[in-house]
Amino acid sequence: MPSLDAARRRLRLSDNHISVLGFLVEEDRIPDELSQERAELGEAGLVDAGDKIAADLYPLVSTLMAPRVIARVELTGPQGVTSNGAVLGDEFIFVHEAWPGSRESEYVPAEPETLVWSLARMVDLHRDLTDEVDSGEVIQSTMGLFDQVIERMEAGKSEEPEVVAEMTGAPSRLAEVLAHLNCMWRMTVVWKGPGEKSGPDGLSVKVLSVWDCGLEGYWLRELPTEPVRDGQVDASSDLRVRRTSAKELWRLMTDLLPDEV
């Protein structure tokens, strides 16, 4: 159920609740498939009987309707995929985080100075003993072999990394690193304006793809080159990952954001 914490300006909303709010702002008819979410917003006191949105929602709704910068953090872990991120408007910034298995995400206002910290928290970026290890080690393979290693490990068999590497033909080091995989995350920042990857639609995009491998540390995926388009990668595509540190990832996350943030 959607809910509001007025004291801390926090909101819990699902993607469907956001869609309903968008229809209401545009004064469009709400599709039948969203009738339950419309009713839930009414029960929570966030929308009245006349389809008027509660004043507490206006900062978030106005930001979502006219974003200047959108940051999306897709995290894949043992409990599935969660979508988190941040939305920057002309007046407000909101960060949102999902909970595995829950429809709703928590939306919280943020300040520009805390944005990178918020994004880092979404991926549990932390310093530990692995930061003492020299970074720069590189593993090269293919996406097909990567998929085979992951499939064997997800099958629940108690196989040593050496066995997995032998059975798949993957580099032994790749199997060793993936044996400690906690999660994979991909951070994408999109904005309208000049940038390194500006497209014909006028949108610029920067992406960071990382493996969090516990005792084996952080690994930055350098190939396939981001941003990856649908259908661009197949089993024969080159895979290259480089060991990195939390310190470098903090810098790279900061560099994802446009200068005006």
Side-chain angles (χ1 to χ4, degrees), residues 143-153 164 167-170:
M143 291 303 298
L145 292 177
F146 164 80
D147 289 338
Q148 291 183 46
V149 171
I150 291 294
E151 287 172 5
R152 290 194 72 91
M153 291 182 170
V164 174
M167 296 300 294
T168 60

Side-chain angles (χ1 to χ4, degrees), residues 107-136:
Y107 288 80
V108 182
E111 298 297 328
E113 297 80 8
T114 66
L115 182 56
V116 176
W117 181 89
S118 296
L119 294 172
R121 183 168 52 83
M122 291 176 194
V123 296
D124 189 30
L125 186 68
H126 57 277
R127 291 178 293 178
D128 55 24
L129 295 178
T130 63
D131 282 348
E132 301 296 328
V133 179
D134 290 338
S135 62

Side-chain angles (χ1 to χ4, degrees), residues 73-129:
V73 181
E74 185 178 77
L75 190 147
T76 303
Q79 294 173 285
V81 180
T82 59
S83 182
N84 315 284
V87 184
L88 290 72
D90 289 329
E91 297 184 67
F92 305 101
I93 297 175
F94 280 87
V95 298
H96 59 93
E97 295 188 52
W99 189 270
S102 175
R103 290 189 307 143
E104 287 86 17
S105 295
E106 183 179 77
Y107 288 80
V108 182
E111 298 297 328
E113 297 80 8
T114 66
L115 182 56
V116 176
W117 181 89
S118 296
L119 294 172
R121 183 168 52 83
M122 291 176 194
V123 296
D124 189 30
L125 186 68
H126 57 277
R127 291 178 293 178
D128 55 24
L129 295 178

